[in-house]
Amino acid sequence: MAKLGGKVMVTGGAGYIGSHAVLALLDAGYEVVVVDNLVTGFDWAVDPRATLVEANVADDERVRATIRDHGVAAIVHFAGSVVVPESVTDPLKYYRNNTAATRSLIESAVSEGVRHFIFSSTAATYGTPAKVPVQEGDPTVPINPYGMSKLMSEAMLRDVAAAHPMNFAALRYFNVAGADPKGRSGQSTVGATHLIKIAVEAATGKRDSVAIFGTDFDTADGTGVRDYIHVSDLAAAHVAALAVLVARPADSHILNAGYGRGFSVNQVLDAVDRVTNQTIERRYAGRRAGDPAELIADNSAILATLDWRPERDRLDTIVEDALAWERKLGEMGR
């Protein structure tokens, strides 16, 4: 296997998905430096084996100095804003934090000779797909600024990779959930909007109910259907993507990161009830802006391209790990 020849910079590595990617990279033997402004991330979520630099990814001077000082050979970019409804009400925040900041980071990478770039993209780039499951070559017509901000970043990476000696992998995440099975990290954001996070908060007494937004979708039970992927499986996909980029430096990839099957909101809450042996109160509300009825990955490309196979893909396993982390947060007083 080809060697990277330097450290991996993880932006947003103090956040939910980023902290799990840091764990996966460290466990795989990579040296890691985290760049995070700690606006939504937590310094305690960064594994002590990694180096933490508190900075904004759009701070060109700090980022370039970090790349030079630490001998960074690859960047895994998670930093950004991720709340779909907020992107509808505050689009400029998303074009600043996601698109403009990513442009700055890419320019810093090119300037300092970084050869490999992994980008956290999203299934929101597809908008409302004409068919399900959705494939990477299907039309990308985002229906919210969050999805558009990520799609614009993908386009920048594609153009930069054609003009400079850098390749990239953009992983289009579906719905990320769960927590590190060893209890080292998990979703810790206060006021998180992820369904399983909200549900386990309700199961541990932090909320009195779970809101279901939309009961009139064209789905089996009227609630939205999503493809839920365990965060540790997703983190492992980033490690596998890095290996492919290093081994084949002329090739870049855009890949769906999901399991290829969907569960409705009600089915997810049924799983939480089942795992906890209790019943969470469900409150029904109207649809949120920018929510498609159904979003499921065709994951054949990622399975064919990367040396990666899901290991924690049972819905109950995802819920169990999320619940264990929520209970640990309670013990930590968070």
Side-chain angles (χ1 to χ4, degrees):
M1 181 181 293
K3 292 248 182 174
L4 177 60
K7 293 184 181 180
V8 181
M9 174 189 286
V10 179
T11 73
Y16 173 41
I17 304 174
S19 65
H20 286 83
V22 169
L23 290 169
L25 288 161
L26 290 167
D27 291 348
Y30 291 98
E31 293 182 274
V32 176
V33 55
V34 171
V35 174
D36 198 302
N37 62 10
L38 301 181
V39 170
T40 57
F42 306 92
D43 55 2
W44 53 263
V46 179
D47 189 282
R49 293 172 290 171
T51 301
L52 173 61
V53 175
E54 187 174 346
N56 191 302
V57 296
D59 184 340
D60 296 348
E61 186 176 338
R62 290 288 307 281
V63 168
R64 294 181 191 196
T66 301
I67 292 171
R68 290 192 298 271
D69 293 348
H70 292 272
V72 170
I75 293 175
V76 186
H77 179 37
F78 296 97
S81 299
V82 299
V83 181
V84 169
E86 182 189 47
S87 80
V88 176
T89 58
D90 191 2
L92 289 175
K93 174 180 178 179
Y94 281 70
Y95 292 121
R96 180 186 66 242
N97 290 355
N98 293 354
T99 312
T102 298
R103 182 214 166 277
S104 295
L105 180 62
I106 295 170
E107 186 172 40
S108 293
V110 170
S111 174
E112 298 301 325
V114 175
R115 295 298 183 93
H116 313 293
F117 198 107
I118 298 177
F119 177 58
S120 63
S121 192
T122 171
T125 55
Y126 295 113
T128 302
K131 64 179 179 62
V132 174
V134 62
Q135 296 177 304
E136 291 85 352
D138 288 347
T140 46
V141 189
I143 58 174
N144 52 63
Y146 169 64
M148 182 58 76
S149 72
K150 292 287 192 173
L151 185 62
M152 292 167 73
S153 297
E154 284 187 13
M156 283 191 290
L157 282 168
R158 186 171 56 247
D159 292 343
V160 168
H164 298 280
M166 184 180 79
N167 64 344
F168 75 93
L171 302 186
R172 290 176 175 165
Y173 307 164
F174 283 67
N175 280 49
V176 188
D180 175 54
K182 296 180 181 178
R184 297 173 294 178
S185 189
Q187 172 60 284
S188 307
T189 308
V190 175
T193 59
H194 300 71
L195 174 63
I196 291 178
K197 167 70 171 176
I198 290 170
V200 296
E201 285 182 345
T204 53
K206 295 180 182 179
R207 295 175 183 257
D208 58 7
S209 63
V210 176
I212 298 175
F213 296 99
T215 58
D216 58 347
F217 288 109
D218 186 17
T219 60
D221 65 15
T223 64
V225 172
R226 296 292 183 270
D227 187 334
Y228 294 88
I229 180 171
H230 194 291
V231 65
S232 293
D233 279 341
L234 181 59
H238 289 76
V239 177
L242 180 57
V244 165
L245 292 183
V246 173
R248 301 202 293 269
D251 297 338
S252 293
H253 308 276
I254 295 176
L255 301 167
N256 287 338
Y259 289 150
R261 66 171 185 271
F263 294 98
S264 73
V265 174
N266 277 326
Q267 286 176 316
V268 169
L269 296 180
D270 288 345
V272 176
D273 288 349
R274 186 165 58 245
V275 166
T276 60
N277 196 30
Q278 64 187 68
T279 301
I280 298 169
E281 182 179 347
R282 308 179 191 192
R283 295 188 177 177
Y284 297 93
R287 300 186 191 184
R288 295 179 299 190
D291 274 353
E294 190 172 14
L295 204 51
I296 300 171
D298 180 327
N299 68 353
S300 56
I302 194 171
L303 295 174
T305 304
L306 305 184
D307 182 16
W308 174 81
R309 292 294 181 273
E311 295 184 355
R312 303 191 70 77
D313 55 346
R314 290 179 57 252
L315 180 59
D316 284 18
T317 299
I318 297 172
V319 170
E320 287 162 1
D321 289 345
L323 181 65
W325 177 254
E326 201 61 41
R327 287 171 173 161
K328 183 171 182 177
L329 282 177
E331 294 168 2
M332 296 163 62
R334 294 187 169 95

